[in-house]
Amino acid sequence: MTHSEQISTAAGIALTIADPVWLRLRREAEAVVRREPYLGGVIAGSILNHASFESVLAFKIGQRLNHPTLPGELITQGFLAAVADDPDLSTTIRADVLAVLDRDPVCTRVIEPVLYFKGFHALVTHRLAHWLWQKGRTDFALHLQSRSSEVFQTDINPAARFGRGIFLDHATGFVVGATAAIGDNVSILQEVTLGGTGKESGDRHPKVRDGVLIGAGAKILGNIEIGPGARIAAGSVVLHPVPANATVAGVPAKVIETARCPEPARSMDQILRDLPDD
């Protein structure tokens, strides 16, 4: 092995140890260019010309939210400022992208959510908006909420708190109120609402704990707790607290199973078994 090859190998090993997600993304991007030469310019501009995973996401979010009133370059700069200020944000977005790989059966590559999945893009946008909100930059945060609503069809208040390892599957119609909180490793499908029950003020939105699975079209309303490992069946309207590891379904939702699925958010098991006849 030549000296230059040794340096290249050492650099590759260091990159693998330091940031395996970034290395995997670059390798997948290079493979796309080999298979689809016509996409070479797109892949280079989106991934290969960047120096980090954060730079790729900053560019992609800026590109998707670009608007004459606020050019994408400024959104890109905002995202890079956020990850520089809060290193934990970098860890969190990696957990989010790995959650997609773990739970979406059609997704086999990091490059897919990074370039194409609007649920992941909406989540990354919210993470930037939430950072801005915490810094007192409320108008910039609200602008991002508005643009995300237009572009990704999600409406997530910048004040809402999200844990890490979140999977927004499809995401269309996802609505989250200001005082809502979502724990770690939660999976949420389309048309879900985490809302209030009227014009009450103060803490008025749901608290979704770790490992919860929320099915498509579910509405969870009010300052109620959804316990760890719970499942909310598609189309349910949840108005009361849900115990840990319980499955609820119906309008209004009722407990129909307990402890059926130990990790519903990861298994994405939405089949309801042994339902009562009534």
Side-chain angles (χ1 to χ4, degrees):
M1 181 181 293
T2 66
H3 181 61
S4 61
E5 289 173 334
Q6 290 175 337
I7 293 175
S8 177
T9 300
I13 293 172
L15 181 59
T16 303
I17 295 172
D19 194 348
V21 173
W22 173 226
L23 178 64
R24 178 172 175 173
L25 178 61
R26 287 192 60 88
R27 286 178 171 169
E28 291 172 355
E30 291 164 354
V32 171
V33 173
R34 289 194 295 271
R35 290 194 306 270
E36 297 284 357
Y38 291 121
L39 296 179
V42 173
I43 299 300
S46 298
I47 297 174
L48 296 177
N49 290 347
H50 294 269
S52 68
F53 185 64
E54 290 79 4
S55 176
V56 168
L57 290 181
F59 172 80
K60 189 62 184 179
I61 296 305
Q63 183 185 54
R64 294 211 65 177
L65 300 181
N66 180 61
H67 190 271
T69 60
L70 186 68
E73 291 84 354
L74 296 179
I75 297 173
T76 295
Q77 292 172 19
F79 186 86
L80 293 175
V83 294
D85 176 73
D86 181 9
D88 187 60
L89 188 55
S90 293
T91 303
T92 297
I93 59 177
R94 283 167 173 76
D96 294 336
V97 78
L98 292 175
V100 181
L101 282 174
D102 181 46
R103 302 172 210 168
D104 189 338
V106 303
C107 180
T108 59
R109 300 174 298 161
V110 173
I111 198 171
E112 292 168 19
V114 168
L115 289 189
Y116 309 122
F117 290 5
K118 71 175 185 177
F120 179 66
H121 295 161
L123 181 59
V124 172
T125 299
H126 172 70
R127 296 205 182 279
L128 171 56
H130 185 67
W131 178 82
L132 291 164
W133 188 268
Q134 291 180 308
K135 294 296 180 181
R137 301 173 66 181
T138 56
D139 289 293
F140 195 170
L142 290 169
H143 173 84
L144 290 180
Q145 177 191 2
S146 177
R147 285 293 293 149
S148 180
S149 180
E150 293 179 58
V151 176
F152 307 130
Q153 295 84 52
T154 62
D155 194 355
I156 309 172
N157 190 283
R161 292 167 288 150
F162 282 60
R164 64 181 57 182
I166 305 298
F167 174 38
L168 300 184
D169 196 7
H170 307 296
T172 301
F174 182 43
V175 177
V176 184
T179 61
I182 298 173
D184 296 335
N185 302 314
V186 172
S187 295
I188 303 172
L189 282 86
Q190 70 272 17
E191 301 292 343
V192 165
T193 297
L194 303 180
T197 57
K199 294 180 66 176
E200 72 276 16
S201 60
D203 195 353
R204 60 195 183 278
H205 296 112
K207 310 298 179 283
V208 179
R209 304 309 181 193
D210 296 351
V212 170
L213 170 63
I214 306 178
K219 314 303 177 187
I220 306 174
L221 306 177
N223 183 15
I224 58 176
E225 179 171 333
I226 309 301
R231 290 194 303 168
I232 312 300
S236 298
V237 177
V238 184
L239 303 175
H240 302 287
V242 176
N245 303 116
T247 297
V248 299
V251 182
K254 298 178 181 179
V255 175
I256 59 171
E257 293 179 343
T258 57
R260 168 70 69 173
C261 181
E263 294 185 284
R266 288 199 62 201
S267 68
M268 300 295 290
D269 181 4
Q270 300 178 68
I271 302 299
L272 305 181
R273 304 172 181 84
D274 303 327
L275 297 184
D277 293 336
D278 57 354

